[in-house]
Amino acid sequence: MSSQDPTSEIEPRKPSISINPELASSEDAAVLADLGYKQELRRNFTMAEVFGIAFSIMGLVPSIASTLAYSLPAGPVGLVWGWFVASGFIFFVGLAMADLGSAMPTSGGLYWWTHYFSSPKTRNPLSFLVGYSNTLGLVGGLCSIDYGFSLMFLSLIVIARDGNWSPSNGVIYVTFLACVACHAVLSTCLSKVMGKLQSAFVILNLVLILATVIALPIGAKDRRNDAQYIFGHMENLTNWPSGWTFMLSWLSPIWTIGSFDSCVHMSEEAANATKAVPYGILMSIGACWSLGWIICIVIAATMSTDIASLTGSVYGQPMAQIYYDALGKHGALGLMALLAITQFFMGMSILVAASRQSWAFSRDGALPFSSFFRQVSKTFKYTPVRAVWGCAFCAAVIGLLTLIDEAAATAVFSLAVAGNNLAWGVPIFSRLVWGQSKFKPGPFYTGKFSAPIGWIAIVFLIFGIALSMFPTTGPNPTPSDMNYTVVINCAVWIGSLTYYFVDARKWFTGPKITIEEGTLSEEQESAIKDEGLDVAQIGPEKEKMAEANLDV
């Protein structure tokens, strides 16, 4: 991609390479070739389906339900206004990401962008760091979603037994493990129809939203809270100052809407990716911002004013108690069952996104056992099956945190926030500081507002990282109150940089070219040279490697 003024007229890319029509159109393949990659995955996803996978992972009602422990301690103000304000800042992040996703749509976008825009001295270590942080964030997202599903599923048993049974940490982990295994099997076997399934998942999410916003007010018609309580009542159930307790409530929307980058990771399976990716990002954030706010208002209007009874519910889930109080036992069972089903499909969607990021990072040789995980299976319709199961295995290992105590278990939520925030912030920062003159916008571009939007996004992301590492109960935490996010994320960040400087710097040179030399036009060859990639690397050895990447 050659350097040019971002405000100059955008010329459409012209296809000039041969491509298997079963995989993609020549236009999409040409865009990917400009970035140095051959088309290896089948482009099954339309723009609506790209939006669908992000919206499905966000799963509004299940996600809000899973993170009420962050928002309820600040009372209705934290629940309602915490959601609205934080979501607005997240939209700024989405705009900055949409600019990049439209210009350079590739599955490894975050670390690819970092490598392209960073200075020569920083591009390799920063790209390496971002790839590992993003992988951790996505796998952490899978952990937190499947852990939330386990709690919801088991709460059905608790409700059915009228609160006379409580699952042990071991039972919760076994349920979590079974869920992860099911997701790995389904993500492997249903790859051909995964795009179509996202439309069904969106419908399921909308059904649950409608059921919640209609059933709760009807069920609680005799004890609805007034507007003053909903929009103006502040509580503090922590040992932090009230202002900081309100800030901690932002973790709910930050975690919930933190999967919009899945659109980026599906870039190489999206048709018309230069438009599908940015609009998928913005539509998913916008939908969650507006619909999520409505859900939070409804919950605040219908929940008990004794918030401590919700956070300490015998059913193990504040949302289960809210449903039970408004709808009784059978109503709570029905809606919690629908909640659990929706959360289950959220987990399957994020495993798909996580596996594509891991596959892309392995394709560039950065992950351990990359030669194993980068292979694509023809048997399962050009799916990175080994990357799917690798992500599932990592999730199972991280999930062992749930066996320690409740504080350690909540770290599976916040580690996803910290990992993703760093992975999103670094490429935006690199573009603004080192690479603005190299940026060539795609069909979507925010124009003269692009730089201010980027800086707002960076400040918010740094704040989000700090927020995710604070103990939620108060200062001076005991081992049982400790937020283990700081331990896990810093171990990955410091470990990946140590790994780079001790060993990986000798062989990791950033994104690798996977297209054959004979398929490059002069324009593409010049673009790849401009982007810091070595055209001389392409040859018979590259061709053999590409063939080896297909697991038949």
Side-chain angles (χ1 to χ4, degrees):
M1 187 177 296
S2 58
S3 303
Q4 74 170 44
D5 183 354
T7 60
S8 63
E9 185 178 356
I10 302 167
E11 297 181 0
R13 297 178 174 93
K14 297 179 181 180
S16 57
I17 63 170
S18 61
I19 179 65
N20 182 349
E22 293 183 4
L23 298 182
S25 68
S26 55
E27 290 83 1
D28 279 320
V31 171
L32 192 59
D34 282 347
L35 306 180
Y37 294 127
K38 65 179 289 186
Q39 186 71 47
E40 297 182 71
L41 304 179
R42 190 189 305 271
R43 292 186 182 266
N44 293 319
F45 288 75
T46 64
M47 181 187 296
E49 291 163 352
V50 170
F51 156 77
I53 196 166
F55 189 74
S56 299
I57 295 172
M58 293 172 185
L60 274 177
V61 180
S63 294
I64 292 172
S66 296
T67 54
L68 284 175
Y70 292 114
S71 52
L72 284 182
V77 164
L79 177 63
V80 174
W81 292 115
W83 182 277
F84 186 84
V85 175
S87 297
F89 282 110
I90 295 168
F91 196 78
F92 278 99
V93 180
L95 286 169
M97 292 273 285
D99 278 346
L100 294 171
S102 180
M104 294 170 283
T106 173
S107 294
L110 299 174
Y111 72 86
W112 198 101
W113 302 334
T114 300
H115 188 271
Y116 174 51
F117 288 119
S118 296
S119 66
K121 290 184 178 180
T122 61
R123 60 172 43 168
N124 286 345
L126 285 181
S127 176
F128 202 74
L129 173 64
V130 166
Y132 272 92
S133 188
N134 191 212
T135 301
L136 173 67
L138 288 166
V139 173
L142 173 62
C143 286
S144 53
I145 288 173
D146 284 3
Y147 176 68
F149 165 81
S150 303
L151 296 180
M152 291 177 188
F153 177 79
L154 294 170
S155 73
L156 291 170
I157 302 175
V158 179
I159 294 173
R161 296 188 179 184
D162 299 315
N164 295 320
W165 177 76
S166 179
S168 65
N169 288 342
V171 170
I172 294 173
Y173 179 72
V174 169
T175 307
F176 163 84
L177 204 59
C179 180
V180 171
C182 287
H183 285 150
V185 171
L186 293 174
S187 297
T188 298
C189 298
L190 300 179
S191 60
K192 187 175 182 178
V193 296
M194 192 60 68
K196 300 295 183 290
L197 286 176
Q198 301 313 312
S199 299
F201 297 164
V202 170
I203 293 172
L204 183 61
N205 271 282
L206 294 175
V207 168
L208 180 56
I209 291 170
L210 284 174
T212 298
V213 300
I214 292 173
L216 280 181
I218 293 175
K221 62 181 182 295
D222 297 326
R223 55 171 188 80
R224 292 181 201 147
N225 301 315
D226 59 23
Q228 174 61 34
Y229 181 83
I230 297 169
F231 296 105
H233 183 73
M234 177 80 181
E235 292 204 21
N236 187 358
L237 300 184
T238 75
N239 293 321
W240 293 110
S242 296
W244 191 248
T245 301
F246 173 75
M247 291 298 183
L248 287 171
S249 71
W250 291 21
L251 286 172
S252 176
I254 289 173
W255 181 81
T256 299
I257 312 179
S259 299
F260 58 83
D261 67 318
S262 57
C263 299
V264 176
H265 303 308
M266 302 309 297
S267 294
E268 294 178 39
E269 293 174 81
N272 196 11
T274 56
K275 292 183 179 179
V277 171
Y279 288 110
I281 289 172
L282 297 179
M283 288 191 299
S284 59
I285 297 175
C288 287
W289 183 2
S290 55
L291 294 176
W293 197 48
I294 293 171
I295 294 167
C296 289
I297 291 172
V298 170
I299 292 174
T302 58
M303 69 184 186
S304 169
T305 56
D306 182 5
I307 295 179
S309 69
L310 301 178
T311 57
S313 172
V314 295
Y315 304 127
Q317 282 275 293
M319 198 68 198
Q321 187 68 56
I322 292 169
Y323 280 145
Y324 191 94
D325 291 342
L327 305 171
K329 178 178 179 178
H330 295 296
L333 283 171
L335 282 177
M336 284 302 294
L338 186 57
L339 202 68
I341 292 170
T342 306
Q343 181 109 346
F344 179 84
F345 290 125
M346 287 168 57
M348 186 163 71
S349 295
I350 198 171
L351 177 56
V352 171
S355 65
R356 273 44 174 187
Q357 151 63 20
S358 302
W359 169 78
F361 208 34
S362 295
R363 177 178 59 184
D364 292 324
L367 287 178
F369 311 108
S370 286
S371 60
F372 177 82
F373 287 116
R374 70 188 175 202
Q375 294 191 20
V376 176
S377 172
K378 283 185 177 179
T379 304
F380 291 98
K381 308 299 182 183
Y382 296 93
T383 300
V385 173
R386 297 183 181 184
V388 169
W389 284 92
C391 288
F393 175 78
C394 291
V397 173
I398 295 175
L400 290 170
L401 282 170
T402 61
L403 294 173
I404 300 175
D405 54 38
E406 186 176 351
T410 57
V412 300
F413 290 91
S414 48
L415 70 86
V417 171
N420 283 329
N421 276 21
L422 184 138
W424 300 336
V426 172
I428 298 172
F429 178 84
S430 297
R431 177 204 154 188
L432 294 175
V433 174
W434 295 301
Q436 188 71 355
S437 62
K438 297 168 60 179
F439 178 68
K440 178 182 177 181
F444 176 90
Y445 181 49
T446 53
K448 63 182 180 180
F449 299 106
S450 182
I453 286 171
W455 285 115
I456 292 172
I458 289 168
V459 172
F460 174 72
L461 290 171
I462 293 172
F463 176 73
I465 292 173
L467 194 65
S468 69
M469 295 185 177
F470 270 77
T472 56
T473 56
N476 303 316
T478 64
S480 62
D481 297 329
M482 169 72 177
N483 185 342
Y484 289 88
T485 302
V486 65
V487 177
I488 299 170
N489 282 86
C490 288
V492 171
W493 294 337
I494 295 173
S496 61
L497 287 176
T498 302
Y499 176 37
Y500 173 80
F501 285 109
V502 170
D503 181 61
R505 65 180 176 83
K506 302 172 186 176
W507 48 264
F508 180 75
T509 57
K512 293 181 179 179
I513 298 172
T514 62
I515 50 178
E516 291 79 15
E517 187 173 16
T519 65
L520 286 172
S521 66
E522 291 184 5
E523 180 182 355
Q524 289 166 338
E525 189 170 313
S526 174
I528 289 172
K529 286 180 179 178
D530 288 342
E531 290 165 8
L533 300 176
D534 185 5
V535 180
Q537 290 177 349
I538 307 174
E541 293 183 2
K542 278 285 181 182
E543 200 167 318
K544 291 179 182 178
M545 186 188 76
E547 292 175 358
N549 286 351
L550 285 178
D551 176 19
V552 296

